[in-house]
Amino acid sequence: MSAKRPRTLKTVTGAGGTSETYDLAIDPTRSTLDTAVRVAKLAEAARIDALFTADLLSFGAQGAIGSQEPLVFVSALSQVTSRIGLIATVSSTFHHPFNLARLFGTLDHVSNGRAAWNLVTSSIGEENFGPGELPSPEERYARAAETLEVVNALWDSWEPGALTVGADGKAVLHPARVRPIHHSGRFFTVAGPLNIPPLPQRRPVQIQAGQSAAGTALGARYAEIVFTSLPTLDIAADFTRTIRAQAGQLGRPGGLPLIFSSLHATYGATEEEAQRLVRERREAIDFERGRALVADMLGGGVDLADLPLDEKLPESLLPDVTSVNRRRGRVDIFAGYARQGYTLRELVIAAQDTGHWAVAGTPEQLADAVEERFRAGVLDVISLGGLADPRQHDFAVNGLLHELRKRKIVAPDYTGTTLRENLGLDLPPRAGAPVPAAPAATTPR
């Protein structure tokens, strides 16, 4: 598998997880999908490559994220769009691979080849999938690796020629070309084969979120795209070198996995306007509530209640990352900020973007920042938010995207019919044995 050339920046926008979901839920004349349908149509008109749905599995976690189930949500959006990709975030920790193969396989069918899976291992939600504590990161990533082995084998269990067109124009099934996978592993026993027809993309695009050591290792081995929190160019460069070196050692082609970052943009018609908006946002921060947010960024086991806002965090408060059971990558980022000398106040401000990349300025200045990362080879996919807001949409689409297209960084249109084609991603080799000799044919029932 390799990323095709010429290289262009791919674009994504969020399609759910806003507080408007609750407003729609109390209106019997509207669907909770209404805003997302509008965003989806705007995004497709702007030739954005994919819609992204985040997910969390606990009530109240980061606002409305998780207030709609992602696979059902994007399946519905597939019916009001025709070209844009559909990325659903689903946990490998709380789902079985046979179900995952069927769910994402069906999404690929109903969307005619536009499905992508953003795999997460979940740092919260164990109280809803008990009994038991949240498994350690090592356990969660071991399960994720086996999940991917099983899911990929199931998607590949239909060999080429398993389903052909008969003389009457109907499907002809060649059963011997649909093979069991006979998987028996630490977490799962799955006989296979998959019981839905071969997928339009053969495999939906595989995205993985996570940047701890275990997450990086999983992404290096399996992911086509990694979604990470990379707030600075130096952090982005270090992460990209690390994960691609590991991928290369595993025999994967250069340029993989693609690096996917979320851009937290503050737009202004002038630089002064953008900086004013940044100041106003900072002045509105509740710094007492912000203490809890910083503690969460540091793994949740840190008490910051009595620390003065304008003091630095003592080293004794910073956790050993290997002792943290949740979001170790985020802990690395914020512990690094503290060791650089950030005060608690500065950490609260930084935590508003939860470790993601934040830039303020005119569309041209934001394009400069995006181009710097793109030319440095540490940015391949970017998430642009706020399309539901007319002002934000104008700046993002008619400002930033327009400028990036002028610079020939973003393609002017879709280049294929499937998401995989539009992202320039080749298929990996098939799992398992070579295709057997053609057997007698039967008509599927």
Side-chain angles (χ1 to χ4, degrees):
M1 176 172 48
S2 63
K4 295 176 181 176
R5 298 296 187 263
R7 176 173 172 259
T8 55
L9 180 67
K10 309 307 178 184
T11 53
V12 172
T13 195
T18 69
S19 58
E20 195 166 330
T21 300
Y22 295 110
D23 297 329
L24 293 169
I26 62 172
D27 184 345
T29 68
R30 301 182 69 190
S31 161
T32 53
L33 200 68
D34 281 4
T35 300
V37 168
R38 181 161 56 86
V39 168
K41 291 180 177 180
L42 289 169
E44 193 165 67
R47 294 305 187 252
I48 288 173
D49 291 296
L51 299 167
F52 183 92
T53 52
D55 198 25
L56 292 169
L57 297 169
S58 288
F59 175 75
Q62 291 187 24
I65 294 175
S67 60
Q68 302 281 267
E69 197 288 315
L71 273 164
V72 175
F73 205 70
V74 297
S75 293
L77 293 177
S78 75
Q79 302 306 292
V80 296
T81 56
S82 61
R83 305 293 299 280
I84 197 165
L86 303 160
I87 304 170
T89 297
V90 179
S91 174
S92 59
T93 302
F94 301 125
H95 291 82
H96 191 283
F98 191 80
N99 284 338
L100 288 167
R102 298 184 76 243
L103 289 164
F104 278 99
T106 300
L107 175 62
D108 208 45
H109 275 292
V110 301
S111 66
N112 292 324
R114 295 184 283 139
W117 175 17
N118 179 42
L119 183 153
V120 296
T121 61
S122 295
S123 60
I124 58 174
E126 70 276 11
E127 70 276 11
N128 298 316
F129 296 89
E133 300 290 320
L134 182 71
S136 70
E138 291 76 17
E139 285 282 300
R140 299 200 303 272
Y141 280 108
R143 179 186 169 107
E146 188 174 333
T147 295
L148 285 167
E149 291 285 347
V150 173
V151 167
N152 286 334
L154 287 167
W155 284 331
D156 289 350
S157 63
W158 288 65
E159 297 283 4
L163 200 63
T164 59
V165 180
D168 59 358
K170 297 183 180 297
V172 177
L173 175 64
H174 304 266
R177 289 184 178 268
V178 185
R179 54 181 177 80
I181 67 169
H182 299 305
H183 176 88
S184 180
R186 176 181 169 193
F187 297 96
F188 309 109
T189 300
V190 181
L194 192 62
N195 63 338
I196 63 174
L199 279 53
Q201 296 185 105
R202 200 187 95 212
R203 292 185 189 178
V205 173
Q206 291 181 12
I207 306 170
Q208 186 247 323
Q211 64 197 87
S212 65
T216 300
L218 184 78
R221 182 174 293 276
Y222 296 103
E224 297 175 281
I225 302 170
V226 287
F227 179 52
T228 59
S229 301
L230 302 174
T232 70
L233 181 59
D234 286 344
I235 291 173
D238 183 63
F239 176 80
T240 303
R241 280 193 300 269
T242 298
I243 196 167
R244 287 189 176 155
Q246 291 183 27
Q249 290 167 3
L250 293 165
R252 300 188 68 191
L256 288 178
L258 302 183
I259 307 299
F260 176 12
S261 288
S262 176
L263 175 64
H264 289 205
T266 301
Y267 295 101
T270 64
E271 183 177 1
E272 292 73 21
E273 182 188 24
Q275 293 304 322
R276 175 180 60 78
L277 292 171
V278 170
R279 286 194 304 273
E280 290 174 356
R281 190 171 297 121
R282 289 183 178 177
E283 289 165 0
I285 293 172
D286 182 335
F287 282 91
E288 292 309 307
R289 291 183 65 183
R291 292 173 186 271
L293 182 56
V294 173
D296 182 58
M297 294 296 107
L298 290 170
V302 181
D303 184 0
L304 302 175
D306 297 325
L307 186 71
L309 282 169
D310 293 310
E311 285 191 13
K312 300 174 184 178
L313 271 65
E315 181 70 28
S316 61
L317 280 180
L318 300 181
D320 174 3
V321 71
T322 62
S323 70
V324 175
N325 203 21
R326 306 175 191 272
R327 297 201 302 185
R328 288 180 179 175
R330 207 65 54 88
V331 175
D332 272 334
I333 289 172
F334 278 83
Y337 286 161
R339 292 189 174 102
Q340 291 172 37
Y342 279 39
T343 65
L344 178 55
R345 185 184 302 277
E346 290 168 330
L347 287 170
V348 171
I349 292 169
Q352 304 307 301
D353 292 302
T354 62
H356 287 289
W357 177 30
V359 185
T362 65
E364 292 77 15
Q365 288 172 322
L366 268 67
D368 291 340
V370 171
E371 182 171 11
E372 179 183 35
R373 289 203 181 196
F374 176 75
R375 301 294 183 203
V378 301
L379 179 66
D380 303 292
V381 184
I382 190 169
S383 177
L384 306 172
L387 263 62
D389 175 74
R391 178 184 182 277
Q392 194 86 347
H393 173 272
D394 186 43
F395 274 113
V397 174
N398 301 321
L400 178 57
L401 271 181
H402 175 73
E403 183 65 25
L404 292 171
R405 285 179 171 133
K406 276 174 56 180
R407 302 182 191 191
K408 301 190 184 305
I409 293 170
V410 172
D413 203 350
Y414 298 119
T415 56
T417 58
T418 69
L419 177 59
R420 181 172 293 282
E421 290 168 349
N422 285 326
L423 296 178
L425 290 167
D426 293 330
L427 275 164
R430 284 184 172 271
V435 180
T442 63
T443 301
R445 291 285 180 256

